[in-house]
Amino acid sequence: QAILAQVTSAARGGPSAQCCRVEALAMSWPGRSGGGYNATNGSRGYPAPSAGPSSSSGSNARVVAPRPGAAPTSSSHGSGHHGGHGGGGDSTPPSLIVGGCSNTTVAGIIQGAFASNGTNHGKPVYKKEAAAGAVSVLIYFWDERDGPSFSGWWFGPKVGGDQVWAYNSQKSSQSPPPSGWRVPWDGPVDETLRISLGSAGGGGGGGRGAHPSDTHGVRGMPGGGAAAAPRSRAVEDDRRRRDDERRQVEEQRRREDERRRQEDDRRRRQQEEEERRRREDEERRRRDEERRRREEEDRRRREEEHRRREAEAKRRREEEEVRKREQAAALVVRKVIQRVRIATPETYDNLRGELEECLKEKAEAMGSQASRVSEEAEQTLRQAQRRIDEMIEQKAAEERRRQEEEKKRREEAERVEQIMKEAAEHVKEGEDAIEEVEKASKAIVEGKDVAPEAIVEAAGAAVKVVEESRSVLDKALAWFNQKHKELKDNSASRTIVMDYNEMADKLESGRRSFDKVADKAETARERAARKKAALEKEKERRALFDKHDLDKDGKLSREEVIAFAKSEHGFDVPEAVLSKIMGVLEPVAYERFHPLHQKVAIAKFEAQARVKRAEEEERKRVLAERRQAVQGILDEADALVVSAEDGISKGEAEAKPLSREREMPADDMKELAASAQTLVSKAFEDLKTVREKLTKVEADCAANPELRDFEKRDVPRLYHRQDRAQRRAEYVADTLERALERAERQARAEIDQKYTESVIAIHKQMAADGKTSEQVFNDVAGDSDSISCEKFAAFVKGVPDFKLAENQAQRLFEHVAEEGADLSKDRFLDIIRLYYKCVKSTVCSEELRIKSKTVRRLDVGEILEALGAPATEEGAGVQRVRCQAWEDNATGWVTICGNQGTPFLVQHGNFLSMGPKKPAAPAKMEESLAPAADAAEEGKSQETDAAPPATEEQPTKTDAEEPAEAAVGDSGDVTPAPVAKESSGADASEEAPDAAAEGGEDKGGAAPAE
């Protein structure tokens, strides 16, 4: 007990006192070899400490009394790792650290430390450690009860809630996966979101490592080993024990702090819970009070509503009683009104009196309905009176109609009786006519013994009787038809209609018998006529036989047959045909004369048919040849049309780039146009040939009607194709003509542009070499006084910063030379002149420096001749050129373009067109020049190619200059050929800086009219 008291005192005195006192006690402890120690501190009430197991070296563990309230601890020697101090049996999962996340909004919510907070669906739930009142953030697992797509790990404010921030589909992981999270939950995987493990959740010393002095046994101690003294082991044991005690003290202190923190948290939570319960009780009492107040108000409101409803029900019952009495009285009156509505003329007066009496009796009982019922009664009486009047009038009208119908029936019956009498008379006449026709029909008798003339006479008489009788029957039938319509509208004819129709049918039957008698008579007359004709024919045939039977032997010989065929048929019978006929008919008696006649006629027809067939075959052969010839012409025309269409299509394809107004070199345009022109010309020739061939086909078809199908079928088709191809070819030709004109204009513009570029390059080279125009001429011409085309081409090709195509050098020479002659010195000096135009008012100074003496101010529109190449003014960094003004020959240096990009001078061609000198043109003259300058900039105009002036003071003009002069009008002012775009009002903002570059001379005048 004394030792334990000292150890406890040493623990309270700090680490240094602990070490000294424990070491001294350890040195003097007599029971060191025992198996342990177990005692009870009765004075302080501490729990009994437990002795730990002995070490592998055989020394005993020293027991240190724990701090009050701490759990028992043990010290293990020789393990090399002292972990789990104070950890006990706590199995709480380790905490988590969430970091990363590319979504800044979600990152601000979920990043931080998470501690274990229970389980869900068999796996742990983690909650973010945050201040009170912050958004709750949980990491939890959800199984497949809602479907596989909802199973996995989730970030959300509530387990199983609708709101989530991230999702991981790994279902097999027992803890939140470190990666593979989708943010948002249905978005892509966010590779930056990571979850890592923090410290263990049980507190204490579970996460501590071994002290550096904790080693296995006594390794590391000097002199350790089998020969070490017991005192050294005791010192080492004491040191380890002191370390253990220090760690235990620290752990006890930490646990005490943790216990106090937990106690504070518990008290705080308890206070918060009590405060929450108090607020809930107050809120509950307030809600109960409010509920009781509302219930009381509802009760009073229901009672008031009940009383109001009872009063309303009573009022409605009273009104209902009054209304029922009124309705009962009104019903009595309305019943009488209803009877009045159906009154007859006999009962109307009585019912009207009854209604008036009822109204008087029930007027007071009906109350508010009295007026309405009275109106109904009055209206009913008026309607009933009108109806009674109508009924009386209707009865009177029906009586008059009945009398009229009775009179009409009597008249119709009399009319029917009269018609039947007339019908009987017509039937009697018809029967007499029918009887006469039957007698005439019986008089027609046919037989072999009866002469044809008698038959014809009897038939004629019968036909005459039939015609006369037919007229009688037709007249009777016409009368019957006429009266039939009349009887149809007569109601009295229903009893006699059958008799009437029977009479008409009898007459109609007799009329049909007339047709049969007439047909019989006509047939008999025709047979008699044929019989008479046959007898006459037979007589003629006998006479003809006797005529050709020259020897009167009753038969015809071969010679007589030949003579018969020649005389009667005009046909020379061939010997073979004659032999065949005679072989069949010989001897040719009278009985065989008719077959002979037929066979000769057949032989003649066959001979004529053979001739006709031969003629037809010849005609068909000739026609086939003509059709073949016409078809050949049409095929040639069709082939020519196809060839022309192909040529036109190719021409269109080659002319297509030319029709788009697309920028293209003039030589390429000419080459394309020439190629397309060749194709189109060939197409025109083919189409002309096609029209000629079609004209020939039309002439052939007009001469031969059998060829008209070509004219109707093929010729119009080819004409249509030829016309369409002709229009296409004409369009392409027109396009090519315009393209060639544009190519010529562009070629002139290109060579003018090259000419201007060559002059600029020559001036630049002259400035670089320090030579004058005359020196350049001498260098190029050599010993000659002129420059040939070859020398000129070699010269311009050698000019730096100037390039020419293969054939442009010669064209440039032809462009600047006079009618192909060599360039004289004067001509050369003229063509290399360079002019500028002032587009913004500026100053002309004596020297290159801007601040040198000013010669004069230049106005917009003035023309200047360059006397040298541009040079850079070092002070302002601008290009200046030495020029001579055409107006007064003033010479000096002029700025080309300001340091802010505003142009003062623009290159304005090489030749000038000048008219008579006139006073200065007004400002409108500048406006007239603007379109020409703009057109030149866009490449749509060209420089005026004119002869150089005879002298500098008096330039001359040529015909080529007239368009430019016409643009000037009557002003007579200088009109250089434009080659560059002039300044616009858009540069007004740059005037101030450019004026500064001009040394303050330019005060920023208005933008030029151009």
Side-chain angles (χ1 to χ4, degrees), residues 415 419 422-423 426 477-489 500:
R415 180 59 181 162
I419 289 173
E422 295 178 1
H426 285 291
L477 287 173
W479 182 88
F480 269 90
N481 291 332
Q482 180 182 1
K483 298 304 177 182
H484 179 72
K485 296 178 181 179
E486 184 177 347
L487 290 175
K488 187 183 292 185
D489 298 333
Y500 183 84

mmCIF file of all heavy atoms in Angstrom, residues 415 419 422-423 426 477-489 500:
data_model
loop_
_atom_site.group_PDB
_atom_site.id
_atom_site.type_symbol
_atom_site.label_atom_id
_atom_site.label_comp_id
_atom_site.label_asym_id
_atom_site.label_seq_id
_atom_site.Cartn_x
_atom_site.Cartn_y
_atom_site.Cartn_z
ATOM 1 N N ARG A 415 -119.202 11.918 -119.942
ATOM 2 C CA ARG A 415 -118.122 11.963 -120.929
ATOM 3 C C ARG A 415 -117.602 10.561 -121.234
ATOM 4 O O ARG A 415 -117.343 10.229 -122.405
ATOM 5 C CB ARG A 415 -116.973 12.840 -120.385
ATOM 6 C CG ARG A 415 -115.791 12.961 -121.323
ATOM 7 C CD ARG A 415 -116.224 13.552 -122.643
ATOM 8 N NE ARG A 415 -115.117 13.643 -123.561
ATOM 9 C CZ ARG A 415 -115.247 13.793 -124.885
ATOM 10 N NH1 ARG A 415 -116.486 13.863 -125.420
ATOM 11 N NH2 ARG A 415 -114.199 13.882 -125.650
ATOM 12 N N ILE A 419 -117.501 8.682 -124.882
ATOM 13 C CA ILE A 419 -116.256 8.149 -125.467
ATOM 14 C C ILE A 419 -116.431 6.684 -125.840
ATOM 15 O O ILE A 419 -115.942 6.234 -126.886
ATOM 16 C CB ILE A 419 -115.103 8.350 -124.472
ATOM 17 C CG1 ILE A 419 -114.741 9.826 -124.370
ATOM 18 C CG2 ILE A 419 -113.865 7.547 -124.877
ATOM 19 C CD1 ILE A 419 -113.714 10.145 -123.290
ATOM 20 N N GLU A 422 -118.204 6.395 -129.158
ATOM 21 C CA GLU A 422 -117.309 6.710 -130.289
ATOM 22 C C GLU A 422 -116.291 5.592 -130.497
ATOM 23 O O GLU A 422 -115.935 5.260 -131.642
ATOM 24 C CB GLU A 422 -116.586 8.028 -130.016
ATOM 25 C CG GLU A 422 -117.531 9.229 -129.965
ATOM 26 C CD GLU A 422 -116.800 10.516 -129.647
ATOM 27 O OE1 GLU A 422 -115.546 10.450 -129.490
ATOM 28 O OE2 GLU A 422 -117.427 11.581 -129.554
ATOM 29 N N ALA A 423 -115.832 4.991 -129.419
ATOM 30 C CA ALA A 423 -114.855 3.904 -129.553
ATOM 31 C C ALA A 423 -115.478 2.714 -130.262
ATOM 32 O O ALA A 423 -114.833 2.062 -131.101
ATOM 33 C CB ALA A 423 -114.359 3.494 -128.160
ATOM 34 N N HIS A 426 -115.373 3.400 -133.949
ATOM 35 C CA HIS A 426 -114.029 3.242 -134.541
ATOM 36 C C HIS A 426 -113.630 1.780 -134.635
ATOM 37 O O HIS A 426 -112.996 1.369 -135.621
ATOM 38 C CB HIS A 426 -113.005 4.004 -133.699
ATOM 39 C CG HIS A 426 -113.058 5.493 -133.897
ATOM 40 N ND1 HIS A 426 -112.666 6.100 -135.064
ATOM 41 C CD2 HIS A 426 -113.483 6.503 -133.081
ATOM 42 C CE1 HIS A 426 -112.823 7.406 -134.964
ATOM 43 N NE2 HIS A 426 -113.334 7.682 -133.763
ATOM 44 N N LEU A 477 -106.556 4.287 -134.075
ATOM 45 C CA LEU A 477 -105.617 4.144 -132.953
ATOM 46 C C LEU A 477 -105.171 5.500 -132.414
ATOM 47 O O LEU A 477 -104.974 5.666 -131.208
ATOM 48 C CB LEU A 477 -104.394 3.326 -133.412
ATOM 49 C CG LEU A 477 -104.657 1.822 -133.618
ATOM 50 C CD1 LEU A 477 -103.437 1.143 -134.242
ATOM 51 C CD2 LEU A 477 -105.024 1.147 -132.301
ATOM 52 N N ALA A 478 -105.000 6.461 -133.306
ATOM 53 C CA ALA A 478 -104.651 7.802 -132.843
ATOM 54 C C ALA A 478 -105.750 8.367 -131.960
ATOM 55 O O ALA A 478 -105.480 9.015 -130.928
ATOM 56 C CB ALA A 478 -104.377 8.704 -134.038
ATOM 57 N N TRP A 479 -107.029 8.122 -132.383
ATOM 58 C CA TRP A 479 -108.148 8.591 -131.550
ATOM 59 C C TRP A 479 -108.136 7.894 -130.197
ATOM 60 O O TRP A 479 -108.338 8.532 -129.164
ATOM 61 C CB TRP A 479 -109.462 8.305 -132.281
ATOM 62 C CG TRP A 479 -110.664 8.797 -131.514
ATOM 63 C CD1 TRP A 479 -111.227 10.028 -131.569
ATOM 64 C CD2 TRP A 479 -111.422 8.022 -130.579
ATOM 65 N NE1 TRP A 479 -112.296 10.109 -130.718
ATOM 66 C CE2 TRP A 479 -112.431 8.862 -130.081
ATOM 67 C CE3 TRP A 479 -111.349 6.730 -130.112
ATOM 68 C CZ2 TRP A 479 -113.369 8.450 -129.139
ATOM 69 C CZ3 TRP A 479 -112.276 6.308 -129.171
ATOM 70 C CH2 TRP A 479 -113.268 7.177 -128.686
ATOM 71 N N PHE A 480 -107.871 6.573 -130.191
ATOM 72 C CA PHE A 480 -107.819 5.826 -128.928
ATOM 73 C C PHE A 480 -106.710 6.373 -128.008
ATOM 74 O O PHE A 480 -106.895 6.511 -126.800
ATOM 75 C CB PHE A 480 -107.596 4.330 -129.197
ATOM 76 C CG PHE A 480 -108.867 3.557 -129.330
ATOM 77 C CD1 PHE A 480 -109.500 3.393 -130.560
ATOM 78 C CD2 PHE A 480 -109.456 2.992 -128.199
ATOM 79 C CE1 PHE A 480 -110.679 2.695 -130.670
ATOM 80 C CE2 PHE A 480 -110.650 2.284 -128.328
ATOM 81 C CZ PHE A 480 -111.277 2.133 -129.555
ATOM 82 N N ASN A 481 -105.532 6.664 -128.565
ATOM 83 C CA ASN A 481 -104.427 7.205 -127.745
ATOM 84 C C ASN A 481 -104.779 8.569 -127.162
ATOM 85 O O ASN A 481 -104.468 8.874 -126.008
ATOM 86 C CB ASN A 481 -103.152 7.310 -128.580
ATOM 87 C CG ASN A 481 -102.591 5.947 -128.932
ATOM 88 O OD1 ASN A 481 -102.803 4.972 -128.188
ATOM 89 N ND2 ASN A 481 -101.890 5.864 -130.053
ATOM 90 N N GLN A 482 -105.439 9.370 -127.996
ATOM 91 C CA GLN A 482 -105.812 10.704 -127.518
ATOM 92 C C GLN A 482 -106.824 10.596 -126.372
ATOM 93 O O GLN A 482 -106.699 11.284 -125.365
ATOM 94 C CB GLN A 482 -106.397 11.509 -128.675
ATOM 95 C CG GLN A 482 -106.814 12.914 -128.276
ATOM 96 C CD GLN A 482 -107.427 13.666 -129.440
ATOM 97 O OE1 GLN A 482 -107.551 13.135 -130.551
ATOM 98 N NE2 GLN A 482 -107.828 14.901 -129.193
ATOM 99 N N LYS A 483 -107.811 9.739 -126.546
ATOM 100 C CA LYS A 483 -108.827 9.613 -125.513
ATOM 101 C C LYS A 483 -108.306 8.878 -124.278
ATOM 102 O O LYS A 483 -108.849 9.058 -123.186
ATOM 103 C CB LYS A 483 -110.055 8.882 -126.078
ATOM 104 C CG LYS A 483 -110.737 9.608 -127.220
ATOM 105 C CD LYS A 483 -111.137 11.023 -126.802
ATOM 106 C CE LYS A 483 -111.755 11.778 -127.973
ATOM 107 N NZ LYS A 483 -112.107 13.170 -127.599
ATOM 108 N N HIS A 484 -107.274 8.073 -124.457
ATOM 109 C CA HIS A 484 -106.702 7.369 -123.315
ATOM 110 C C HIS A 484 -106.142 8.360 -122.284
ATOM 111 O O HIS A 484 -106.299 8.181 -121.072
ATOM 112 C CB HIS A 484 -105.607 6.407 -123.782
ATOM 113 C CG HIS A 484 -104.955 5.654 -122.660
ATOM 114 N ND1 HIS A 484 -105.584 4.649 -121.966
ATOM 115 C CD2 HIS A 484 -103.715 5.783 -122.105
ATOM 116 C CE1 HIS A 484 -104.775 4.189 -121.038
ATOM 117 N NE2 HIS A 484 -103.626 4.856 -121.101
ATOM 118 N N LYS A 485 -105.504 9.390 -122.755
ATOM 119 C CA LYS A 485 -104.999 10.420 -121.838
ATOM 120 C C LYS A 485 -106.146 11.117 -121.127
ATOM 121 O O LYS A 485 -106.055 11.431 -119.935
ATOM 122 C CB LYS A 485 -104.165 11.430 -122.618
ATOM 123 C CG LYS A 485 -102.905 10.836 -123.233
ATOM 124 C CD LYS A 485 -102.143 11.874 -124.027
ATOM 125 C CE LYS A 485 -100.893 11.266 -124.678
ATOM 126 N NZ LYS A 485 -100.165 12.279 -125.479
ATOM 127 N N GLU A 486 -107.218 11.347 -121.884
ATOM 128 C CA GLU A 486 -108.366 12.015 -121.265
ATOM 129 C C GLU A 486 -109.012 11.117 -120.212
ATOM 130 O O GLU A 486 -109.424 11.586 -119.141
ATOM 131 C CB GLU A 486 -109.382 12.383 -122.352
ATOM 132 C CG GLU A 486 -110.564 13.177 -121.824
ATOM 133 C CD GLU A 486 -111.516 13.584 -122.951
ATOM 134 O OE1 GLU A 486 -111.113 13.467 -124.136
ATOM 135 O OE2 GLU A 486 -112.631 14.009 -122.634
ATOM 136 N N LEU A 487 -109.124 9.783 -120.507
ATOM 137 C CA LEU A 487 -109.722 8.860 -119.551
ATOM 138 C C LEU A 487 -108.840 8.663 -118.302
ATOM 139 O O LEU A 487 -109.330 8.369 -117.222
ATOM 140 C CB LEU A 487 -109.966 7.508 -120.222
ATOM 141 C CG LEU A 487 -111.078 7.466 -121.282
ATOM 142 C CD1 LEU A 487 -111.116 6.097 -121.936
ATOM 143 C CD2 LEU A 487 -112.428 7.799 -120.646
ATOM 144 N N LYS A 488 -107.536 8.817 -118.475
ATOM 145 C CA LYS A 488 -106.639 8.647 -117.337
ATOM 146 C C LYS A 488 -106.916 9.687 -116.256
ATOM 147 O O LYS A 488 -106.770 9.411 -115.058
ATOM 148 C CB LYS A 488 -105.185 8.742 -117.802
ATOM 149 C CG LYS A 488 -104.181 8.409 -116.705
ATOM 150 C CD LYS A 488 -102.754 8.588 -117.189
ATOM 151 C CE LYS A 488 -102.398 7.560 -118.240
ATOM 152 N NZ LYS A 488 -100.978 7.644 -118.623
ATOM 153 N N ASP A 489 -107.295 10.895 -116.645
ATOM 154 C CA ASP A 489 -107.605 11.959 -115.689
ATOM 155 C C ASP A 489 -109.069 11.921 -115.237
ATOM 156 O O ASP A 489 -109.483 12.794 -114.454
ATOM 157 C CB ASP A 489 -107.312 13.319 -116.328
ATOM 158 C CG ASP A 489 -105.848 13.458 -116.693
ATOM 159 O OD1 ASP A 489 -105.012 12.804 -116.029
ATOM 160 O OD2 ASP A 489 -105.521 14.207 -117.633
ATOM 161 N N TYR A 500 -112.218 -0.597 -122.673
ATOM 162 C CA TYR A 500 -111.573 0.373 -123.575
ATOM 163 C C TYR A 500 -110.235 -0.175 -124.068
ATOM 164 O O TYR A 500 -109.928 -0.115 -125.266
ATOM 165 C CB TYR A 500 -111.394 1.695 -122.834
ATOM 166 C CG TYR A 500 -110.800 2.789 -123.669
ATOM 167 C CD1 TYR A 500 -111.614 3.565 -124.489
ATOM 168 C CD2 TYR A 500 -109.427 3.057 -123.630
ATOM 169 C CE1 TYR A 500 -111.055 4.565 -125.261
ATOM 170 C CE2 TYR A 500 -108.892 4.053 -124.401
ATOM 171 C CZ TYR A 500 -109.696 4.812 -125.205
ATOM 172 O OH TYR A 500 -109.152 5.814 -125.975
#
